[in-house]
């Protein structure tokens, strides 16, 4: 699921920055549709699993990230669409 979210974010141009921390955690800063001054930071562990998503207001679930960033599965590859169907 996290792979799909990141893929969709790239496809929609929502990824502002991507970086890898020294501990192997990948961090993605995603643009929000409801506020252009703040972002959502999504952390993915070294094993590829979702670690956390945060904003200035606190933690978000993956579903909340999809909503506040305006992400849509229509922009996913066929593999991601199949997982939803």
């Amino acid at each position: 699921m996290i792979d799909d979210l990141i893929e969709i974010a790239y496809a929609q141009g929502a990824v502002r920055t991507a970086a890898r921390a020294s501990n192997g955690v990948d961090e993605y800063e995603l643009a929000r549709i409801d506020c252009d001054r703040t972002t959502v930071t999504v952390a993915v562990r070294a094993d590829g699993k979702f670690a956390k998503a945060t904003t200035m207001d606190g933690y978000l679930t993956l579903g909340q990230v999809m909503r506040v960033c305006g992400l849509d599965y229509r922009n996913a590859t066929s593999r991601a669409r199949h997982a939803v169907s």
Side-chain angles (χ1 to χ4, degrees):
M1 179 92 163
I2 188 64
D3 292 338
D4 295 340
L5 184 143
I6 298 301
E7 177 185 319
I8 293 165
Y10 270 112
Q12 288 188 218
V15 177
R16 289 192 177 172
T17 61
R20 175 163 288 162
S22 60
N23 60 358
V25 172
D26 293 334
E27 286 194 351
Y28 300 88
E29 186 178 314
L30 307 181
R32 295 177 62 144
I33 60 169
D34 59 346
C35 182
D36 61 346
R37 294 183 312 270
T38 63
T39 58
V40 176
T41 302
V42 177
V44 181
R45 299 185 332 204
D47 62 3
K49 295 185 179 179
F50 173 70
K52 64 182 177 179
T54 56
T55 66
M56 291 182 353
D57 299 323
Y59 292 95
L60 299 176
T61 66
L62 289 178
Q64 290 170 320
V65 172
M66 294 285 288
R67 188 172 57 252
V68 300
C69 294
L71 304 178
D72 191 313
Y73 268 97
R74 288 179 294 200
N75 295 303
T77 65
S78 58
R79 181 185 63 80
R81 280 193 209 122
H82 183 350
V84 174
S85 301

